[in-house]
Amino acid sequence: MVSLLPYGDVDSTLRAMAGRAEGFGRHSIGGLHGSLYIVTTLADDGPGSLRDGCRRTEPLWIVFEISGTIHLSSYLSVSSYKTIDGRGQRIKFTGKGLRLKECEHIIICNLEFEGGRGHDVDGIQIKPNSKHIWIDRCSLRDYDDGLIDITRQSTDITISRCYFAQHDKTMLIGADPSHVGDRCIRVTIHHCFFDGTRQRHPRVRFGKVHLYNNYTRNWGIYAVCGSVESQCNIYEAGAKKKTFEFYTEKAADKEEQKSGFIISEGDMFLNGAQPLLLTEYRDESMFHPSEYYPTWTMEAAAHSLRDILQLCTGWQSICRPVD
């Protein structure tokens, strides 16, 4: 079933993922040109640990020879040119999350994040000034802050085939109105399943975000808020029917308050989910993904797509490909 989604062939060899993301994160090569680093312990630190591999400065393709839970006592910082590849095992992070700080060319694949505790603790925190990042086939739930937060001028990021559940503030893009440098942010989110998460699928303050072929159901406040190009997504309401939200804020370098802008094309609305009614078009707020990348794999929003996304997003029990 996974082969029905994009990237059906990236599991043919271990490093076939490098440079294969669709969208804004398409240039990420991770640890393509580095050695293979094998995680041999679930310990938070020390020889053979994931933390030891992530702090090394050279490119590495990191894999696991064991399954289990890694309890992080502090954020796990990931340095540039790293792939953290969970294929072939079942690795879950708890306690804290991953921090992508001033790094580039990161691939994170087939991992679970659950039960992050503490102030400002996100599953994956991307800030500041990080770029060329691809997060694929990860399951994220139940963190005290966000599941994935992208702020402080981090950009050129793709999030694909991920599963989000049991959470409030799911995904924040752009920190607050004072960080006007976040206008450079560019993110693609596709073929993800937001399953009963309350809000922020995503919440966009600054930047350009392209959503396509995602499935969002049973949200608690709204589905999407802010500056988004939305194509062929499926929105299935629960008790709350408002799909799109617009918050008015004043950017630090502007005189007037403004809200975000959303373009919705080909989206499916189920169980009373409200389609976009905004008719005011503002040139400075508009973009189309084709201005930034030539192609992406998209199908019409349909019940068949909804069924596939329920089965094929998040961590998958798949073999580790041969290097």
Side-chain angles (χ1 to χ4, degrees):
M1 289 293 288
V2 175
S3 62
L4 297 175
L5 301 185
Y7 319 126
D9 60 340
V10 298
D11 298 329
S12 58
T13 62
L14 188 70
R15 303 181 194 231
M17 293 188 69
R20 292 292 306 282
E22 292 189 354
F24 285 121
R26 66 194 180 280
H27 296 305
S28 175
I29 62 171
L32 172 63
H33 300 302
S35 301
L36 195 66
Y37 178 97
I38 301 175
V39 176
T40 58
T41 176
L42 298 174
D44 185 24
D45 205 345
S49 69
L50 176 62
R51 192 180 296 272
D52 179 60
C54 287
R55 71 162 61 98
R56 299 190 182 192
T57 57
E58 70 270 23
L60 291 174
W61 199 283
I62 300 172
V63 298
F64 299 81
E65 75 167 20
I66 51 173
S67 291
T69 298
I70 299 176
H71 182 83
L72 300 173
S73 59
S74 62
Y75 268 116
L76 195 162
S77 294
V78 184
S79 62
S80 294
Y81 293 94
K82 298 292 183 295
T83 299
I84 307 177
D85 188 346
R87 289 176 294 178
Q89 303 292 345
R90 186 165 193 169
I91 294 292
K92 178 186 289 185
F93 299 111
T94 189
K96 298 293 187 286
L98 303 185
R99 173 173 282 162
L100 279 53
K101 179 180 179 182
E102 296 181 330
C103 61
E104 61 182 351
H105 291 286
I106 305 293
I107 298 174
I108 299 169
C109 176
N110 211 50
L111 301 166
E112 294 183 281
F113 299 77
E114 182 175 356
R117 297 294 173 254
H119 173 69
D120 194 34
V121 172
D122 305 316
I124 302 175
Q125 185 180 90
I126 307 174
K127 71 173 187 181
N129 303 312
S130 294
K131 60 185 178 180
H132 303 310
I133 295 162
W134 183 16
I135 302 168
D136 182 58
R137 282 180 288 186
C138 289
S139 297
L140 305 98
R141 65 174 71 216
D142 186 27
Y143 269 68
D144 278 352
D145 194 7
L147 292 179
I148 299 177
D149 275 16
I150 302 166
T151 62
R152 306 294 184 93
Q153 302 177 71
S154 295
T155 190
D156 294 332
I157 297 163
T158 292
I159 301 166
S160 62
R161 301 188 291 183
C162 288
Y163 175 72
F164 302 87
Q166 195 183 338
H167 196 77
D168 180 8
K169 298 175 181 178
T170 310
M171 190 183 306
L172 176 66
I173 300 175
D176 65 53
S178 69
H179 295 136
V180 297
D182 281 354
R183 289 195 181 98
C184 73
I185 291 176
R186 303 186 298 192
V187 180
T188 300
I189 303 167
H190 72 89
H191 292 90
C192 291
F193 180 19
F194 299 93
D195 186 11
T197 41
R198 192 162 180 255
Q199 60 181 314
R200 299 187 178 181
H201 315 102
R203 158 78 158 105
V204 184
R205 208 170 243 114
F206 293 113
K208 297 176 174 65
V209 179
H210 181 201
L211 307 178
Y212 63 93
N213 279 177
N214 301 290
Y215 174 33
T216 307
R217 75 175 179 192
N218 195 29
W219 53 88
I221 299 179
Y222 62 81
V224 174
C225 177
S227 308
V228 172
E229 170 81 11
S230 177
Q231 295 184 305
C232 297
N233 299 283
I234 302 169
Y235 299 102
E236 184 170 0
K240 299 294 184 180
K241 307 302 182 185
K242 180 184 285 188
T243 306
F244 301 108
E245 181 63 275
F246 300 88
Y247 291 153
T248 300
E249 294 179 309
K250 189 176 84 67
D253 60 350
K254 298 292 184 180
E255 295 293 329
E256 300 178 357
Q257 292 188 341
K258 289 187 177 181
S259 63
F261 186 79
I262 296 173
I263 300 174
S264 173
E265 299 176 337
D267 293 331
M268 173 184 281
F269 301 92
L270 303 174
N271 196 33
Q274 298 170 356
L276 186 67
L277 300 177
L278 187 67
T279 56
E280 179 185 359
Y281 286 80
R282 297 190 296 272
D283 290 342
E284 72 273 15
S285 300
M286 296 175 64
F287 83 99
H288 194 274
S290 60
E291 300 170 37
Y292 299 92
Y293 41 88
T295 60
W296 53 94
T297 304
M298 185 174 65
E299 60 182 279
H303 291 282
S304 57
L305 175 63
R306 180 185 63 172
D307 295 342
I308 290 169
L309 293 177
Q310 289 181 74
L311 292 173
C312 298
T313 50
W315 178 87
Q316 301 288 313
S317 179
I318 52 178
C319 296
R320 188 173 86 201
V322 175
D323 190 13

